[in-house]
Amino acid sequence: MNVFRLLGDFSHLAAIIILLVKIWKSRSCAGLSGKSQIMFAMVFTARYLDLFTTFISTYNSVMKVIFLVSSYATVYLMYVKFKASNDGTHDAFRVEFLVTPMAGLAVLVNHEFAFLEILWTFSIYLESVAILPQLFMITKTGEAETITSHYLFALGAYRALYIINWIYRYYMEGSFDSIAVVAGCVQTILYCDFFYLYVTKVWKGKKLILPV
């Protein structure tokens, strides 16, 4: 494992910790898209079913468990524990328009037509667009809390670091996964506008407010 993959994993972990701490300390999930979190739970479930069949390393297995448990914990907090603060009015993205095409694409375009492989491919495709309900919610409200901005930045940084990891592996190991790379690039592109606003607003101590 190279340093870019490791940094990407810890950036991803940091994003989850920021999210959970934000919800627990404020006792609220205001400003967060529950639909995005449900899709992330679907992503990790589909991707890590091989936890019961394949052992790669202790680090790999521990990270899989952490991502699985934290994703379901987030959904629980948003839809059960702090359900009253869930903003269903603004969290209105039609996720079936994401899940269904990604599932169909996974069946049609994959490395191997096998059950676990199709699930893994589905998770890659779905992860690339799972943040859209959250970004859509921000456009509807016109702003994002600073802590939510930190969460999104860490999540975007995780994917950007993975792109560097793929470039490194291509040149150093001759490894190239077209499905993961294309989906990862799509996901990173979705964050570009947010990255710009984060650097120009949040880094300067201002609240992230979308330009009118």
Side-chain angles (χ1 to χ4, degrees), residues 12 21 24 32 40-41 54-55 83 86 90 120 133 160 168 187 204:
H12 196 180
V21 169
W24 190 257
L32 296 172
F40 281 126
T54 305
F55 178 80
K83 182 179 179 180
N86 201 329
H90 291 114
W120 177 85
Y168 175 89
Q187 186 178 355
K204 295 180 180 179

Side-chain angles (χ1 to χ4, degrees), residues 27-86:
R27 316 296 287 182
S28 169
C29 55
L32 296 172
S33 169
K35 292 184 177 181
S36 273
Q37 297 310 315
I38 287 174
M39 285 200 289
F40 281 126
M42 292 174 64
V43 165
F44 296 133
T45 302
R47 185 174 302 170
Y48 298 145
L49 280 179
D50 68 346
L51 181 65
F52 304 102
T53 61
T54 305
F55 178 80
I56 298 174
S57 67
T58 301
Y59 170 84
N60 184 271
S61 296
V62 169
M63 292 300 279
K64 287 179 178 180
V65 171
I66 289 174
F67 289 136
L68 277 167
V69 172
S70 61
S71 64
Y72 279 98
T74 302
V75 171
Y76 168 78
L77 291 177
M78 295 190 71
Y79 284 96
V80 180
K81 184 74 173 178
F82 304 121
K83 182 179 179 180
S85 63
N86 201 329

